[in-house]
């Protein structure tokens, strides 16, 4: 089965986009705002909070960066109007980080003003290492204007423990993830167990310092280990949340966490740039492609 899944993943980039859309559909919450908002509503009804992300990164023109900023800004009023339990999670390169510091800062401040207006939250995703220091710098600028803003630290980065030390306070809101980009071993851990170890250290350290922590992982070993520690140390449920990507099949585990009084937030990506994201996600979990294709064939055979 492993070989079949592997072969499917190799073939997928050469197949028509419509096919990729079908196979990747669980990961994507739609293309339009309306499709995405419908999905957010459904997730809220199942007890999940949501972080919305418009797919895309590294825009190359100011026009595009401005358009994306405006689209994000409008989402705060749509969330408010529909009374949804959702915030936004953005990539700074999507709103113009490659086009100059002052330009991206201006766009970030537009979003911070909107978040403030609607009493909502904004998180800055963490991209690859050339952007880390500037992302932290911009996070600090945003925090000065409106503290309801958060950032991400990646457990594979050597520097994250020092970044946490410098940033952590009871006002700090951090998502901890393993890290998705390919980084040089001079600056990042490669060993799976070492990354897990650092992940655990980061979460514990942040919680001990009174920060709010988004535990963003599908690694059930990590989730179970940290949840046990949280209970043993009587960490209040309003100091952390579990976060997962839309479409990752973990419903049973997540519903159990919700039933036990925990917050679970689903990261909901959507938009026109669904193709590259889908290919990335399917490569991460070839089982998913195999499983969906099996379902499609079953449906055809049972007609
Ligand atoms: C909410 C959220 C936000 C994130 N934000 C960022 C960010 O800002 N910057 C950044 O660098 N990275 C981000 N990531 C990605 C993260 O860094 C990891 O690359 C990714 O989550 C895989 O690591 P894992 O902790 O799930 O563990 P892994 O060891 O990779 O996976 C654990 C298990 O989950 C399964 N799994 C993992 N991913 C998927 C998937 N997509 N579909 C199906 N099964 C899967 C694996 O097959 C494995 O069985 C984010 C992840 C999440 C969940």
């Amino acid at each position: 089965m492993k070989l079949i899944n592997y072969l499917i993943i190799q073939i997928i980039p050469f197949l028509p986009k419509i096919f990729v859309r079908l196979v990747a559909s669980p990961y994507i919450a739609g293309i339009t705002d309306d499709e995405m908002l419908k999905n957010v509503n459904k997730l809220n009804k199942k007890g999940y909070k949501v972080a919305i992300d418009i797919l895309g990164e590294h825009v190359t023109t100011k026009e595009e960066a401005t358009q994306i900023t405006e689209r994000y800004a409008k989402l705060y009023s749509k969330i408010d109007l529909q009374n949804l339990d959702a915030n936004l999670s953005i990539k700074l390169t999507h709103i113009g980080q490659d086009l100059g510091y002052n330009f991206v800062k201006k766009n970030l401040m537009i979003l911070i003003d909107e978040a403030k207006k609607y009493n909502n939250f904004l998180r800055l995703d963490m991209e690859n290492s050339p952007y880390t220091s500037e992302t932290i710098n911009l996070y600090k600028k945003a925090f000065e204007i409106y503290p309801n803003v958060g950032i991400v630290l990646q457990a594979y980065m050597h520097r994250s423990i020092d970044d946490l030390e410098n940033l952590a306070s009871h006002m700090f809101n951090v998502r901890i993830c393993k890290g998705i980009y390919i980084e040089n071993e001079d600056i990042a851990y490669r060993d799976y167990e070492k990354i897990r170890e650092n992940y655990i250290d980061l979460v514990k350290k942040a919680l001990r310092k009174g920060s709010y922590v988004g535990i963003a992982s599908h690694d059930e070993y990590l989730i179970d280990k940290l949840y046990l520690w949280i209970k043993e140390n009587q960490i209040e449920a309003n100091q952390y949340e579990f976060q997962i990507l839309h479409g990752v099949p973990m419903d049973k585990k997540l519903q159990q966490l919700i039933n036990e009084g925990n917050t679970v937030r689903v990261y909901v990506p959507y938009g026109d740039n669904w193709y590259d994201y889908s290919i990335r996600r399917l490569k991460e979990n070839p089982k998913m492609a195999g499983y969906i294709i099996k379902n499609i064939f079953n449906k055809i055979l049972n007609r």
Side-chain angles (χ1 to χ4, degrees):
M1 194 62 190
K2 260 191 177 164
L3 180 68
I4 293 174
N5 291 339
Y6 173 79
L7 289 175
I8 291 168
I9 290 302
Q10 299 309 307
I11 294 166
I12 275 178
F14 302 100
L15 295 175
K17 272 194 168 184
I18 183 75
F19 184 79
V20 180
R21 174 90 205 272
L22 196 64
V23 176
S25 57
Y27 287 125
I28 311 293
I31 305 231
T32 65
D33 288 5
D34 284 348
E35 283 167 356
M36 175 276 290
L37 291 165
K38 251 189 217 158
N39 269 311
V40 172
N41 193 19
K42 275 191 202 154
L43 287 164
N44 281 173
K45 284 194 172 136
K46 284 169 90 179
Y48 298 110
K49 294 176 191 283
V50 166
I52 299 168
D53 166 68
I54 304 175
L55 288 167
E57 57 204 351
H58 298 288
V59 297
T60 51
T61 67
K62 289 194 171 177
E63 291 71 27
E64 201 185 344
T66 305
Q67 250 176 28
I68 295 295
T69 306
E70 283 167 3
R71 188 167 178 190
Y72 266 127
K74 284 187 192 138
L75 284 181
Y76 279 121
S77 68
K78 292 186 181 185
I79 291 168
D80 186 67
L81 197 70
Q82 298 191 26
N83 216 4
L84 297 171
D85 196 339
N87 60 37
L88 302 186
S89 199
I90 65 160
K91 288 185 175 47
L92 286 175
T93 67
H94 202 195
I95 59 161
Q97 195 171 10
D98 294 325
L99 304 167
Y101 179 81
N102 287 333
F103 179 70
V104 71
K105 187 174 161 207
K106 185 189 87 192
N107 287 342
L108 174 61
M109 291 309 157
I110 290 172
L111 297 183
I112 284 294
D113 285 346
E114 282 304 291
K116 192 172 173 186
K117 184 168 157 196
Y118 289 99
N119 195 22
N120 204 323
F121 176 85
L122 179 71
R123 186 176 305 280
L124 310 184
D125 285 353
M126 189 58 83
E127 298 179 71
N128 49 336
S129 56
Y131 298 94
T132 311
S133 293
E134 192 172 277
T135 301
I136 292 175
N137 172 301
L138 286 160
Y139 158 78
K140 287 181 182 166
K141 299 278 176 218
F143 184 87
E144 283 168 19
I145 310 291
Y146 181 57
N148 216 0
V149 58
I151 200 169
V152 179
L153 293 177
Q154 297 150 319
Y156 67 5
M157 294 296 291
H158 296 167
R159 61 175 287 170
S160 291
I161 202 84
D162 294 331
D163 288 333
L164 180 66
E165 182 64 35
N166 294 330
L167 292 163
S169 74
H170 69 285
M171 298 285 282
F172 186 49
N173 186 322
V174 63
R175 172 196 299 150
I176 309 282
C177 66
K178 286 187 181 174
I180 193 127
Y181 304 92
I182 295 166
E183 298 288 357
N184 195 295
E185 62 187 343
D186 295 349
I187 57 168
Y189 301 112
R190 292 267 178 84
D191 179 69
Y192 192 75
E193 288 309 322
K194 182 69 202 158
I195 296 170
R196 272 181 165 171
E197 217 176 278
N198 201 36
Y199 192 109
I200 290 171
D201 287 350
L202 286 164
V203 172
K204 286 184 181 175
K205 193 179 176 85
L207 287 171
R208 280 199 196 101
K209 289 197 171 240
S211 305
Y212 186 91
V213 183
I215 302 169
S217 178
H218 316 108
D219 185 343
E220 296 203 20
Y221 166 84
L222 278 185
I223 295 174
D224 290 345
K225 196 152 174 128
L226 284 165
Y227 188 38
L228 185 66
W229 184 86
I230 281 169
K231 285 198 278 195
E232 280 169 1
N233 288 273
Q234 296 172 349
I235 306 287
E236 299 279 342
N238 63 5
Q239 214 198 312
Y240 65 89
E241 63 186 39
F242 295 96
Q243 299 185 349
I244 57 126
L245 300 179
H246 187 262
V248 179
M250 292 180 67
D251 229 36
K252 198 168 158 211
K253 172 121 203 137
L254 302 175
Q255 285 296 327
Q256 189 191 333
L257 287 168
I258 292 174
N259 291 341
E260 289 171 17
N262 300 288
T263 298
V264 177
R265 189 176 300 275
V266 181
Y267 185 98
V268 165
Y270 82 106
D272 313 301
N273 279 322
W274 56 270
Y275 184 77
D276 290 345
Y277 179 83
S278 305
I279 298 283
R280 233 174 34 219
R281 292 280 92 90
L282 290 170
K283 280 188 176 160
E284 246 171 38
N285 192 354
K287 263 194 288 185
M288 193 84 179
Y291 171 69
I292 294 162
I293 287 169
K294 206 172 89 196
N295 275 352
I296 293 168
F297 278 118
N298 280 344
K299 271 187 197 156
I300 294 169
L301 290 174
N302 292 330
R303 263 188 187 164

